[in-house]
Each structure stands twice: as C-alpha cells, then as structure tokens.
Amino acid sequence: MKKSAISVLSLVALTASVCLPAFADQDYTTMAKNTAMFPVRTLALGTGVVVGTPIAVVRRVSNRCIEYTGNMADKIGGKKSLPPVLFASLLGVPIGIVSGSAEGIYYGGKNAITNCVEHPFSKDSFSLGSELE
C-alpha cells in the first residue's frame, strides 16, 4: 500500500516537473514560495483524490437518481403521485447509480487536480463546493 502510494506520488511529481513550463522571469521570493508549497500541493492532490472522489460519487449518484426517477415518472403519469414514482424508481435508481458513479469518479479527480495548486485543501478540491463540476 505504501509503496504504491509513494510510486503514484513520485510519478505525479516527475510528470509535473517535466510537463509544467519553467517561469524564468519570476523573482526569487515567488520561486522559494512555490518550492516550499510543492509538498503541500502534492499532499493536497493525493488527499483530494482519496477523499474527494467518494464525496463526488455520492453527490452525483444522488442527483442522477432523483433526476432519472423524476423524468421517468413524468412520462408515465407525473411525479406528484406515488405509483408512477415507485415504478419509475425501478429503472431510475440503477441507471442513476451507474451514470452518477462514472461522473463522480471523473469530477472527483478533476476537482482535486484543478484546485490543488491555487487552493490546496479547500472545499472545492474535496468536491464539497457549491458546484460539483
């Protein structure tokens, strides 16, 4: 477990050092700050992926189940009465679980990666912000 986590973090660090551009016109204080913040940002990325992805999955699954059940209930009699909602939930919930899980995995990783540099350990990096995407 520890070897795989260290390997993944090493790969991320190596990829970031190769893929990111070098900013030669920055002053020394900015470069020192970026160097000191590198371990924090790396930990923020790892923690955001590990903690934020399940949160994003749960949020997307719940949204998709409600959405698909409501749409299907509208097609068979309206979502204001109980029988159409019950019958629609037989298909809406499994479809919502599958599509919401896939979206949650995508958005959990995306939120962790996009927010770990400027706002490490923020709500948005853990998929807890007001917008999930």
Side-chain angles (χ1 to χ4, degrees):
M1 177 76 178
K2 289 183 181 180
K3 286 183 182 180
S4 63
I6 292 172
S7 299
V8 169
L9 290 176
S10 299
L11 181 64
V12 168
L14 182 63
T15 305
S17 65
V18 172
C19 295
L20 295 177
F23 298 108
D25 59 342
Q26 291 183 349
D27 57 349
Y28 292 112
T29 58
T30 306
M31 289 181 1
K33 179 185 173 195
N34 287 338
T35 302
M37 286 296 291
F38 180 74
V40 173
R41 291 174 178 156
T42 304
L43 287 174
L45 174 65
T47 308
V49 169
V50 169
V51 174
T53 301
I55 292 171
V57 168
V58 169
R59 289 182 68 184
R60 295 308 294 179
V61 165
S62 67
N63 289 344
R64 291 299 177 205
C65 287
I66 292 168
E67 177 186 346
Y68 289 137
T69 301
N71 288 342
M72 289 181 191
D74 280 340
K75 292 179 182 177
I76 60 172
K79 59 183 171 187
K80 294 186 179 181
S81 61
L82 185 62
V85 173
L86 287 176
F87 287 119
S89 68
L90 293 174
L91 287 176
V93 171
I95 293 171
I97 289 172
V98 171
S99 65
S101 296
E103 289 177 5
I105 290 169
Y106 172 74
Y107 286 119
K110 179 182 173 238
N111 290 337
I113 291 170
T114 56
N115 294 312
C116 74
V117 174
E118 295 200 17
H119 306 290
F121 298 107
S122 67
K123 283 185 176 182
D124 292 329
S125 67
F126 292 125
S127 300
L128 289 172
S130 59
E131 288 187 22
L132 186 57
E133 289 133 35

mmCIF file of all heavy atoms in Angstrom, residues 56-88:
data_model
loop_
_atom_site.group_PDB
_atom_site.id
_atom_site.type_symbol
_atom_site.label_atom_id
_atom_site.label_comp_id
_atom_site.label_asym_id
_atom_site.label_seq_id
_atom_site.Cartn_x
_atom_site.Cartn_y
_atom_site.Cartn_z
ATOM 1 N N ALA A 56 -17.691 13.060 -4.340
ATOM 2 C CA ALA A 56 -18.262 13.406 -5.647
ATOM 3 C C ALA A 56 -19.153 12.295 -6.174
ATOM 4 O O ALA A 56 -20.204 12.568 -6.775
ATOM 5 C CB ALA A 56 -17.137 13.699 -6.640
ATOM 6 N N VAL A 57 -18.769 11.040 -5.946
ATOM 7 C CA VAL A 57 -19.592 9.921 -6.404
ATOM 8 C C VAL A 57 -20.951 9.941 -5.705
ATOM 9 O O VAL A 57 -21.999 9.801 -6.346
ATOM 10 C CB VAL A 57 -18.867 8.575 -6.174
ATOM 11 C CG1 VAL A 57 -19.814 7.404 -6.359
ATOM 12 C CG2 VAL A 57 -17.687 8.441 -7.116
ATOM 13 N N VAL A 58 -20.952 10.134 -4.398
ATOM 14 C CA VAL A 58 -22.222 10.155 -3.655
ATOM 15 C C VAL A 58 -23.098 11.317 -4.118
ATOM 16 O O VAL A 58 -24.308 11.156 -4.308
ATOM 17 C CB VAL A 58 -21.948 10.228 -2.135
ATOM 18 C CG1 VAL A 58 -23.217 10.524 -1.367
ATOM 19 C CG2 VAL A 58 -21.328 8.937 -1.658
ATOM 20 N N ARG A 59 -22.494 12.473 -4.316
ATOM 21 C CA ARG A 59 -23.274 13.631 -4.750
ATOM 22 C C ARG A 59 -23.855 13.428 -6.145
ATOM 23 O O ARG A 59 -25.020 13.752 -6.408
ATOM 24 C CB ARG A 59 -22.401 14.893 -4.727
ATOM 25 C CG ARG A 59 -22.085 15.343 -3.313
ATOM 26 C CD ARG A 59 -21.268 16.589 -3.305
ATOM 27 N NE ARG A 59 -22.066 17.713 -3.799
ATOM 28 C CZ ARG A 59 -21.587 18.932 -3.968
ATOM 29 N NH1 ARG A 59 -20.333 19.200 -3.683
ATOM 30 N NH2 ARG A 59 -22.360 19.896 -4.408
ATOM 31 N N ARG A 60 -23.051 12.906 -7.064
ATOM 32 C CA ARG A 60 -23.544 12.712 -8.433
ATOM 33 C C ARG A 60 -24.590 11.595 -8.497
ATOM 34 O O ARG A 60 -25.564 11.688 -9.232
ATOM 35 C CB ARG A 60 -22.392 12.400 -9.395
ATOM 36 C CG ARG A 60 -21.398 13.531 -9.578
ATOM 37 C CD ARG A 60 -22.030 14.837 -9.927
ATOM 38 N NE ARG A 60 -22.656 14.828 -11.226
ATOM 39 C CZ ARG A 60 -23.293 15.860 -11.754
ATOM 40 N NH1 ARG A 60 -23.375 16.999 -11.120
ATOM 41 N NH2 ARG A 60 -23.839 15.763 -12.922
ATOM 42 N N VAL A 61 -24.390 10.512 -7.732
ATOM 43 C CA VAL A 61 -25.362 9.419 -7.733
ATOM 44 C C VAL A 61 -26.710 9.906 -7.219
ATOM 45 O O VAL A 61 -27.759 9.613 -7.806
ATOM 46 C CB VAL A 61 -24.839 8.220 -6.914
ATOM 47 C CG1 VAL A 61 -25.961 7.245 -6.591
ATOM 48 C CG2 VAL A 61 -23.739 7.498 -7.670
ATOM 49 N N SER A 62 -26.697 10.664 -6.133
ATOM 50 C CA SER A 62 -27.976 11.150 -5.599
ATOM 51 C C SER A 62 -28.667 12.090 -6.583
ATOM 52 O O SER A 62 -29.890 11.996 -6.784
ATOM 53 C CB SER A 62 -27.770 11.834 -4.249
ATOM 54 O OG SER A 62 -27.020 13.021 -4.401
ATOM 55 N N ASN A 63 -27.911 12.973 -7.216
ATOM 56 C CA ASN A 63 -28.512 13.885 -8.198
ATOM 57 C C ASN A 63 -29.076 13.131 -9.395
ATOM 58 O O ASN A 63 -30.180 13.435 -9.869
ATOM 59 C CB ASN A 63 -27.480 14.906 -8.680
ATOM 60 C CG ASN A 63 -27.122 15.915 -7.628
ATOM 61 O OD1 ASN A 63 -27.816 16.073 -6.638
ATOM 62 N ND2 ASN A 63 -26.012 16.603 -7.833
ATOM 63 N N ARG A 64 -28.320 12.164 -9.901
ATOM 64 C CA ARG A 64 -28.772 11.428 -11.083
ATOM 65 C C ARG A 64 -29.963 10.529 -10.775
ATOM 66 O O ARG A 64 -30.865 10.395 -11.603
ATOM 67 C CB ARG A 64 -27.633 10.603 -11.680
ATOM 68 C CG ARG A 64 -26.559 11.439 -12.309
ATOM 69 C CD ARG A 64 -27.115 12.252 -13.432
ATOM 70 N NE ARG A 64 -26.083 13.113 -13.980
ATOM 71 C CZ ARG A 64 -26.315 14.227 -14.611
ATOM 72 N NH1 ARG A 64 -27.545 14.643 -14.790
ATOM 73 N NH2 ARG A 64 -25.325 14.957 -15.074
ATOM 74 N N CYS A 65 -29.982 9.893 -9.612
ATOM 75 C CA CYS A 65 -31.132 9.045 -9.260
ATOM 76 C C CYS A 65 -32.410 9.875 -9.181
ATOM 77 O O CYS A 65 -33.457 9.470 -9.697
ATOM 78 C CB CYS A 65 -30.883 8.334 -7.925
ATOM 79 S SG CYS A 65 -29.695 7.004 -8.025
ATOM 80 N N ILE A 66 -32.329 11.025 -8.547
ATOM 81 C CA ILE A 66 -33.504 11.903 -8.447
ATOM 82 C C ILE A 66 -33.922 12.396 -9.831
ATOM 83 O O ILE A 66 -35.108 12.430 -10.170
ATOM 84 C CB ILE A 66 -33.206 13.072 -7.490
ATOM 85 C CG1 ILE A 66 -33.052 12.558 -6.064
ATOM 86 C CG2 ILE A 66 -34.290 14.144 -7.576
ATOM 87 C CD1 ILE A 66 -32.487 13.571 -5.101
ATOM 88 N N GLU A 67 -32.948 12.768 -10.641
ATOM 89 C CA GLU A 67 -33.254 13.293 -11.979
ATOM 90 C C GLU A 67 -33.904 12.228 -12.867
ATOM 91 O O GLU A 67 -34.942 12.481 -13.483
ATOM 92 C CB GLU A 67 -31.962 13.795 -12.628
ATOM 93 C CG GLU A 67 -32.146 14.287 -14.043
ATOM 94 C CD GLU A 67 -30.817 14.630 -14.707
ATOM 95 O OE1 GLU A 67 -29.791 14.751 -14.011
ATOM 96 O OE2 GLU A 67 -30.823 14.760 -15.940
ATOM 97 N N TYR A 68 -33.296 11.038 -12.939
ATOM 98 C CA TYR A 68 -33.834 9.999 -13.813
ATOM 99 C C TYR A 68 -35.183 9.482 -13.322
ATOM 100 O O TYR A 68 -36.074 9.216 -14.125
ATOM 101 C CB TYR A 68 -32.844 8.841 -13.955
ATOM 102 C CG TYR A 68 -31.628 9.193 -14.769
ATOM 103 C CD1 TYR A 68 -30.358 8.793 -14.376
ATOM 104 C CD2 TYR A 68 -31.734 9.933 -15.932
ATOM 105 C CE1 TYR A 68 -29.244 9.115 -15.109
ATOM 106 C CE2 TYR A 68 -30.618 10.265 -16.673
ATOM 107 C CZ TYR A 68 -29.378 9.855 -16.262
ATOM 108 O OH TYR A 68 -28.271 10.176 -17.003
ATOM 109 N N THR A 69 -35.345 9.355 -12.015
ATOM 110 C CA THR A 69 -36.635 8.909 -11.484
ATOM 111 C C THR A 69 -37.727 9.934 -11.789
ATOM 112 O O THR A 69 -38.835 9.573 -12.190
ATOM 113 C CB THR A 69 -36.535 8.658 -9.975
ATOM 114 O OG1 THR A 69 -35.531 7.668 -9.740
ATOM 115 C CG2 THR A 69 -37.841 8.180 -9.409
ATOM 116 N N GLY A 70 -37.418 11.215 -11.611
ATOM 117 C CA GLY A 70 -38.390 12.263 -11.917
ATOM 118 C C GLY A 70 -38.758 12.312 -13.386
ATOM 119 O O GLY A 70 -39.935 12.466 -13.738
ATOM 120 N N ASN A 71 -37.762 12.178 -14.257
ATOM 121 C CA ASN A 71 -38.039 12.201 -15.700
ATOM 122 C C ASN A 71 -38.895 11.016 -16.134
ATOM 123 O O ASN A 71 -39.823 11.160 -16.931
ATOM 124 C CB ASN A 71 -36.731 12.221 -16.490
ATOM 125 C CG ASN A 71 -36.016 13.552 -16.400
ATOM 126 O OD1 ASN A 71 -36.612 14.561 -16.035
ATOM 127 N ND2 ASN A 71 -34.739 13.551 -16.705
ATOM 128 N N MET A 72 -38.575 9.836 -15.619
ATOM 129 C CA MET A 72 -39.353 8.656 -15.998
ATOM 130 C C MET A 72 -40.761 8.710 -15.402
ATOM 131 O O MET A 72 -41.714 8.255 -16.022
ATOM 132 C CB MET A 72 -38.623 7.394 -15.565
ATOM 133 C CG MET A 72 -37.389 7.107 -16.369
ATOM 134 S SD MET A 72 -36.614 5.604 -15.811
ATOM 135 C CE MET A 72 -35.067 5.682 -16.681
ATOM 136 N N ALA A 73 -40.894 9.243 -14.204
ATOM 137 C CA ALA A 73 -42.221 9.360 -13.586
ATOM 138 C C ALA A 73 -43.096 10.343 -14.359
ATOM 139 O O ALA A 73 -44.311 10.142 -14.483
ATOM 140 C CB ALA A 73 -42.090 9.799 -12.131
ATOM 141 N N ASP A 74 -42.500 11.407 -14.891
ATOM 142 C CA ASP A 74 -43.267 12.351 -15.708
ATOM 143 C C ASP A 74 -43.802 11.686 -16.970
ATOM 144 O O ASP A 74 -44.878 12.033 -17.457
ATOM 145 C CB ASP A 74 -42.401 13.555 -16.089
ATOM 146 C CG ASP A 74 -42.307 14.572 -14.972
ATOM 147 O OD1 ASP A 74 -43.183 14.548 -14.075
ATOM 148 O OD2 ASP A 74 -41.361 15.385 -14.996
ATOM 149 N N LYS A 75 -43.085 10.732 -17.506
ATOM 150 C CA LYS A 75 -43.507 10.080 -18.744
ATOM 151 C C LYS A 75 -44.622 9.062 -18.523
ATOM 152 O O LYS A 75 -45.334 8.724 -19.461
ATOM 153 C CB LYS A 75 -42.317 9.404 -19.407
ATOM 154 C CG LYS A 75 -41.305 10.393 -19.924
ATOM 155 C CD LYS A 75 -40.113 9.720 -20.549
ATOM 156 C CE LYS A 75 -39.109 10.782 -20.995
ATOM 157 N NZ LYS A 75 -37.894 10.187 -21.536
ATOM 158 N N ILE A 76 -44.770 8.575 -17.283
ATOM 159 C CA ILE A 76 -45.802 7.542 -17.060
ATOM 160 C C ILE A 76 -46.925 8.014 -16.149
ATOM 161 O O ILE A 76 -47.722 7.207 -15.701
ATOM 162 C CB ILE A 76 -45.188 6.243 -16.501
ATOM 163 C CG1 ILE A 76 -44.484 6.487 -15.167
ATOM 164 C CG2 ILE A 76 -44.271 5.601 -17.502
ATOM 165 C CD1 ILE A 76 -44.017 5.207 -14.482
ATOM 166 N N GLY A 77 -47.008 9.294 -15.856
ATOM 167 C CA GLY A 77 -48.146 9.737 -15.074
ATOM 168 C C GLY A 77 -47.888 10.909 -14.164
ATOM 169 O O GLY A 77 -48.801 11.385 -13.513
ATOM 170 N N GLY A 78 -46.683 11.377 -14.059
ATOM 171 C CA GLY A 78 -46.392 12.539 -13.237
ATOM 172 C C GLY A 78 -45.688 12.180 -11.941
ATOM 173 O O GLY A 78 -45.950 11.151 -11.345
ATOM 174 N N LYS A 79 -44.799 13.083 -11.534
ATOM 175 C CA LYS A 79 -44.014 12.798 -10.342
ATOM 176 C C LYS A 79 -44.676 13.282 -9.058
ATOM 177 O O LYS A 79 -44.105 13.201 -7.992
ATOM 178 C CB LYS A 79 -42.608 13.379 -10.463
ATOM 179 C CG LYS A 79 -42.536 14.868 -10.659
ATOM 180 C CD LYS A 79 -41.096 15.289 -10.848
ATOM 181 C CE LYS A 79 -41.024 16.739 -11.260
ATOM 182 N NZ LYS A 79 -39.670 17.124 -11.600
ATOM 183 N N LYS A 80 -45.919 13.737 -9.167
ATOM 184 C CA LYS A 80 -46.622 14.195 -7.977
ATOM 185 C C LYS A 80 -47.410 13.088 -7.297
ATOM 186 O O LYS A 80 -47.835 13.239 -6.167
ATOM 187 C CB LYS A 80 -47.537 15.363 -8.318
ATOM 188 C CG LYS A 80 -46.764 16.585 -8.730
ATOM 189 C CD LYS A 80 -47.640 17.768 -8.918
ATOM 190 C CE LYS A 80 -46.761 18.955 -9.307
ATOM 191 N NZ LYS A 80 -47.515 20.164 -9.492
ATOM 192 N N SER A 81 -47.609 11.977 -7.978
ATOM 193 C CA SER A 81 -48.319 10.869 -7.344
ATOM 194 C C SER A 81 -47.349 9.711 -7.104
ATOM 195 O O SER A 81 -46.365 9.535 -7.826
ATOM 196 C CB SER A 81 -49.492 10.411 -8.212
ATOM 197 O OG SER A 81 -49.032 9.957 -9.454
ATOM 198 N N LEU A 82 -47.626 8.916 -6.105
ATOM 199 C CA LEU A 82 -46.702 7.886 -5.640
ATOM 200 C C LEU A 82 -46.523 6.709 -6.601
ATOM 201 O O LEU A 82 -45.377 6.290 -6.819
ATOM 202 C CB LEU A 82 -47.135 7.393 -4.259
ATOM 203 C CG LEU A 82 -46.195 6.396 -3.589
ATOM 204 C CD1 LEU A 82 -44.841 7.034 -3.346
ATOM 205 C CD2 LEU A 82 -46.798 5.892 -2.309
ATOM 206 N N PRO A 83 -47.573 6.142 -7.199
ATOM 207 C CA PRO A 83 -47.355 4.963 -8.049
ATOM 208 C C PRO A 83 -46.412 5.188 -9.238
ATOM 209 O O PRO A 83 -45.532 4.357 -9.473
ATOM 210 C CB PRO A 83 -48.764 4.580 -8.515
ATOM 211 C CG PRO A 83 -49.660 5.099 -7.451
ATOM 212 C CD PRO A 83 -49.012 6.363 -6.969
ATOM 213 N N PRO A 84 -46.527 6.297 -9.993
ATOM 214 C CA PRO A 84 -45.563 6.491 -11.076
ATOM 215 C C PRO A 84 -44.121 6.653 -10.571
ATOM 216 O O PRO A 84 -43.183 6.177 -11.205
ATOM 217 C CB PRO A 84 -46.034 7.763 -11.776
ATOM 218 C CG PRO A 84 -47.456 7.892 -11.438
ATOM 219 C CD PRO A 84 -47.601 7.298 -10.085
ATOM 220 N N VAL A 85 -43.958 7.276 -9.412
ATOM 221 C CA VAL A 85 -42.611 7.459 -8.864
ATOM 222 C C VAL A 85 -42.022 6.109 -8.447
ATOM 223 O O VAL A 85 -40.838 5.840 -8.679
ATOM 224 C CB VAL A 85 -42.628 8.451 -7.682
ATOM 225 C CG1 VAL A 85 -41.278 8.506 -6.996
ATOM 226 C CG2 VAL A 85 -43.029 9.836 -8.148
ATOM 227 N N LEU A 86 -42.834 5.253 -7.853
ATOM 228 C CA LEU A 86 -42.344 3.929 -7.458
ATOM 229 C C LEU A 86 -41.937 3.095 -8.668
ATOM 230 O O LEU A 86 -40.887 2.442 -8.658
ATOM 231 C CB LEU A 86 -43.409 3.191 -6.641
ATOM 232 C CG LEU A 86 -43.635 3.688 -5.221
ATOM 233 C CD1 LEU A 86 -44.781 2.936 -4.570
ATOM 234 C CD2 LEU A 86 -42.377 3.548 -4.405
ATOM 235 N N PHE A 87 -42.781 3.085 -9.694
ATOM 236 C CA PHE A 87 -42.434 2.326 -10.894
ATOM 237 C C PHE A 87 -41.229 2.931 -11.615
ATOM 238 O O PHE A 87 -40.398 2.197 -12.148
ATOM 239 C CB PHE A 87 -43.636 2.223 -11.840
ATOM 240 C CG PHE A 87 -44.698 1.289 -11.351
ATOM 241 C CD1 PHE A 87 -45.975 1.751 -11.088
ATOM 242 C CD2 PHE A 87 -44.416 -0.058 -11.134
ATOM 243 C CE1 PHE A 87 -46.954 0.895 -10.629
ATOM 244 C CE2 PHE A 87 -45.392 -0.920 -10.672
ATOM 245 C CZ PHE A 87 -46.676 -0.444 -10.410
ATOM 246 N N ALA A 88 -41.140 4.240 -11.637
ATOM 247 C CA ALA A 88 -40.006 4.886 -12.304
ATOM 248 C C ALA A 88 -38.711 4.659 -11.543
ATOM 249 O O ALA A 88 -37.633 4.599 -12.137
ATOM 250 C CB ALA A 88 -40.270 6.377 -12.453
#
